[in-house]
Amino acid sequence: MKAIINQTDNVVSDMLNGFYFEHQHRLTYDQDHQIISEALKTNQVALISGGGSGHEPAHFGYVADGMLTTSVSGRLFTPPSVEQILKAIQMSDVGDGVLLIVKNFASDVEMFQKAKEQAVTQGHSVETVIVDDDVSIEDQTHYKKRKRGVAGTIFVYKLLGAYARNGASLDTLKKVGDHITEQLHTLGVALSPAHLPVENQSTFTLDESEVYYGVGIHGEKGYRKEPFESSEQLAVELINKLKSIYMWKPGERFACLINGLGSTPLMEQYIFSHDVKRLMEIEGLKIDFFKVGTHMSSYNMAGISLSLLKLIEADWANYLQEPTNAPNW
Amino acid sequence: MKAIINQTDNVVSDMLNGFYFEHQHRLTYDQDHQIISEALKTNQVALISGGGSGHEPAHFGYVADGMLTTSVSGRLFTPPSVEQILKAIQMSDVGDGVLLIVKNFASDVEMFQKAKEQAVTQGHSVETVIVDDDVSIEDQTHYKKRKRGVAGTIFVYKLLGAYARNGASLDTLKKVGDHITEQLHTLGVALSPAHLPVENQSTFTLDESEVYYGVGIHGEKGYRKEPFESSEQLAVELINKLKSIYMWKPGERFACLINGLGSTPLMEQYIFSHDVKRLMEIEGLKIDFFKVGTHMSSYNMAGISLSLLKLIEADWANYLQEPTNAPNW
C-alpha cells in the first residue's frame, strides 16, 4: 500500500513541520522534542496530552485556546519518551501547575507517570487524568471493560480546557477530569485494519465482508467479527453495548461524538450519525451535544466509533459548546 | 468494498439528516430539495453553491457566516436538478441578489445556468462565477487546461463570503469572483481511484505501485501515470506544472491549499505540505496563507491536491484569515 511519505524515520517530524508551518502564527514548535505548544497563559493550569503518532488530528490539532496547552508526539503508535514529556511539562508550567491527560495504554501511562515523578522532584505541581473510555464487551454476562483510551479523549480535552480557561485549579481539574471519565464510554467498529507506512503492528485481519466490533486504535483486537450488512446494524450493536454499560433511563442527557477512524468518508460518518440519533431518540434520550468527524484516527483504518458522555453536570454541555480556535474541533 | 450506508437510494438524504442534526442550532434544512441554508441576512448578497454529493465536506460544510449562504446537494457525483437549484435561489434571495458558485463540469454548469434563467424571469438578480481551477497538462509544449472545478473552489467560497459579509454588491462579487478564479490553479494526484457505494463511475484504474497525475474528482482520468516513490516526488511534479502555468517570479505571494482527496491520512497530508512549503521557498515565493485538510474529496480516493492562489490583491490574504464558523474551514 502506497503512503505519501519520504524517509520512514522522519514521518513524525515531517508531519509536525507541515503542521507547524500552517499554525506558526499562533503556536510554537520544539522540533527536538516533538512538542507543539500554545502561547502560555498566566493564572491558568497547563493541559498537556500526547501519545503515539498516527492518530491525527489528535493530539496537536487540539492545541488551542480553550483546549490543550501542549501536545507531545511519539513515533507511530508509540508513546513519547519520558524526556519528551518532562520537557513538555517544564516548558508549559507557568506556576499554576500541569495536568497530564493520558490515554489508558500501559506504555503511555508508564511514560507519563515517570515524567510526572521527575517533574515533581523538580518542583512542578503535576496531576494526571487517565482516559479509559473504551468498553469492549465479550458477551452480555461477562462484561470485560478493556478500558483503553480512545476517541472520548477529545471530549476530555474540550471540557477540561474550558474549565482551565475559566480558572479552575489543578486540584479541581483532576477531580473534574476523573468525574468526566467515569461518565464517558466509547465503542468502535473496524471495516479494515490500519496499514501503517512502517512495520505494521496490527494484530488482526479481517475478511472483505466482515466488520470487527470493539477494536482499539493501535490494531488491538475487538470482541466479535460478523458479516457487514448496513450502517444501522453497526449503530444498533454499539448503542446496545453502551446501553448495557450506562443502564440509561428515558430523559437522560448525553453528548455524542461520532469519530471516523481514518479513511472513513464523511458521508458514511453522517449516515451512521443519523442512525445513532434515531436509535437514541427511540431510547428516549436527550442529545444536548453532537459532533461528527475524524478526530482520533487509527491511521488509515476504515471504521467508526461512538463516544457518549452522560451529562450529569449542567455545565458540561455549555463547556462543549464554548468557542475554541482548535483547528480540528 | 464495504461502505457504512443503508439504502443506496438514501445515502444523500441520510447524510444530510445526520449533518443537519449536528448543526440544527444554526442552519435550516429543506429535505425535499436537499438544501442546507444559513439564517438569511438582509443587506447581503446570498452565495449559493452545490454539486454532486461524494465530495464532503464540500459543500454543506462551508455554509456559515462568512462563507456560503446555501448549499444544494445532488446525488453521488451528479449535479442537483434545476428544480433544486431554483428553489435554493428563491429561498436565499432576500432582495440583494444571488451569486451562484459553480464548479466547471458541463452538467453542473448546464443545471445552474437553466436555474439561473428561470430565476431571472421570476425577478431575481442572479450572477454566476464558474470555478475552473484544475490544470491538467499533457506535456510542456501543449498545455491543455482541462479547467475542471476542484479544491480551489473552497478558496472562492472563503473570499467571496468575506466580500459579501463586508457588503459587496452582486456586480462586485461577480467581478471579484472572476478575478480570483483567473489566479487560482489546482493540480491533484491519485494513489487510488474512488470506490463509490453506488455504481462506480471511475474511468480509470491504477496499479498498486502507480500514481496518476491530474485526475479529477469524479474519476476523470489524469495526464500521466508513473511508479510512486515519495511525497517529495509528487510535490515536485505538482509544483513544476503549476510553475509552468503561473510563470512565477521570486517574491510573488501565494495562498496555498493542500487538500486530501478522501482517504488520505492527515499525517500524509502534512508530510506533503512540508515538501510543498520547502519547494515554494526554494522558488523564492512568499506563502501568506496555508491550509491543510480534506476539503473537496472524491469520496474515498487516496490522493492529494495542491491549489495555489496568486495574491495579487492585498485584501485576499486578510479575507482568507477572517474568522468564520464554518465547521470544515
Side-chain angles (χ1 to χ4, degrees), chain A residues 22-314:
Chain A
E22 186 186 26
H23 296 280
Q24 58 186 339
H25 53 287
R26 64 177 191 92
L27 299 177
T28 61
Y29 174 36
D30 176 342
Q31 187 158 2
D32 292 339
H33 299 88
Q34 317 279 46
I35 293 170
I36 295 283
S37 195
E38 250 222 309
L40 299 179
K41 299 189 180 79
T42 52
N43 301 317
Q44 187 170 321
V45 174
L47 302 190
I48 299 178
S49 192
S53 294
H55 305 300
E56 292 70 33
H59 303 276
F60 52 72
Y62 304 98
V63 176
D65 184 51
M67 290 191 80
L68 295 178
T69 312
T70 300
S71 73
V72 50
S73 297
R75 290 179 295 120
L76 272 168
F77 289 7
T78 305
S81 68
V82 174
E83 181 196 349
Q84 286 177 275
I85 300 166
L86 181 61
K87 180 73 178 176
I89 295 171
Q90 291 165 338
M91 60 184 280
S92 304
D93 189 2
V94 292
D96 297 287
V98 171
L99 186 77
L100 306 176
I101 303 173
V102 184
K103 300 195 302 304
N104 192 30
F105 293 95
S107 54
D108 287 69
V109 171
E110 181 187 346
M111 294 299 158
F112 277 90
Q113 180 60 29
K114 285 183 178 167
K116 174 187 169 179
E117 287 165 10
Q118 293 187 26
V120 168
T121 66
Q122 294 173 9
H124 297 282
S125 298
V126 184
E127 293 286 355
T128 304
V129 169
I130 294 179
V131 186
D132 59 352
D133 53 323
D134 190 17
V135 283
S136 296
I137 304 166
E138 297 290 344
D139 59 55
Q140 289 290 344
T141 49
H142 294 88
Y143 291 163
K144 184 176 170 189
K145 190 177 173 182
R146 300 187 186 183
K147 288 178 155 287
R148 300 176 289 227
V150 290
T153 308
I154 308 301
F155 273 175
V156 178
Y157 294 167
K158 185 65 175 72
L159 286 168
L160 292 184
Y163 274 96
R165 185 164 59 181
N166 284 286
S169 69
L170 181 57
D171 281 351
T172 300
L173 290 172
K174 163 66 176 163
K175 277 179 202 142
V176 171
D178 289 344
H179 193 37
I180 291 166
T181 58
E182 285 166 12
Q183 304 300 328
L184 181 67
H185 300 303
T186 297
L187 201 55
V189 55
L191 279 69
S192 78
H195 298 277
L196 292 189
V198 296
E199 190 185 345
N200 194 331
Q201 302 177 33
S202 281
T203 57
F204 70 82
T205 57
L206 201 53
D207 285 352
E208 178 58 32
S209 65
E210 286 180 328
V211 297
Y212 204 174
Y213 295 112
V215 298
I217 57 173
H218 306 97
E220 297 92 346
K221 291 178 181 174
Y223 62 82
R224 192 175 82 244
K225 294 178 182 178
E226 69 178 27
F228 173 69
E229 290 171 16
S230 69
S231 171
E232 187 176 30
Q233 166 205 22
L234 307 186
V236 166
E237 171 73 17
L238 300 195
I239 287 284
N240 281 346
K241 292 298 181 196
L242 288 165
K243 180 178 182 176
S244 72
I245 302 288
Y246 282 109
M247 309 289 279
W248 57 51
K249 297 178 188 63
E252 289 185 345
R253 296 184 172 278
F254 285 87
C256 182
L257 175 68
I258 313 282
N259 175 60
L261 285 171
S263 65
T264 305
L266 197 54
M267 171 176 277
E268 298 182 20
Q269 296 183 37
Y270 277 119
I271 291 171
F272 176 80
S273 298
H274 181 52
D275 289 317
V276 167
K277 172 219 172 218
R278 287 190 304 105
L279 293 169
M280 290 182 72
E281 287 178 349
I282 289 169
E283 294 286 323
L285 304 176
K286 307 287 186 191
I287 306 173
D288 288 350
F289 185 82
F290 198 75
K291 194 158 194 73
V292 183
T294 301
H295 291 279
M296 177 78 77
S297 67
S298 179
Y299 203 65
N300 55 8
M301 179 183 280
I304 205 154
S305 69
L306 169 61
S307 302
L308 297 181
L309 173 68
K310 188 173 171 182
L311 296 170
I312 60 170
E313 299 292 339

Side-chain angles (χ1 to χ4, degrees), chain A residues 2 22 208 268 270 299, chain B residues 2 22 208 268 270 299:
Chain A
K2 297 175 289 259
E22 186 186 26
E208 178 58 32
E268 298 182 20
Y270 277 119
Y299 203 65
Chain B
K2 296 174 291 257
E22 187 186 26
E208 178 58 32
E268 298 181 21
Y270 278 118
Y299 203 65

Side-chain angles (χ1 to χ4, degrees), chain B residues 241-255:
Chain B
K241 293 296 182 197
L242 288 164
K243 179 177 182 176
S244 73
I245 301 288
Y246 282 108
M247 309 290 279
W248 56 51
K249 296 180 187 64
E252 289 185 344
R253 297 184 171 277
F254 285 87

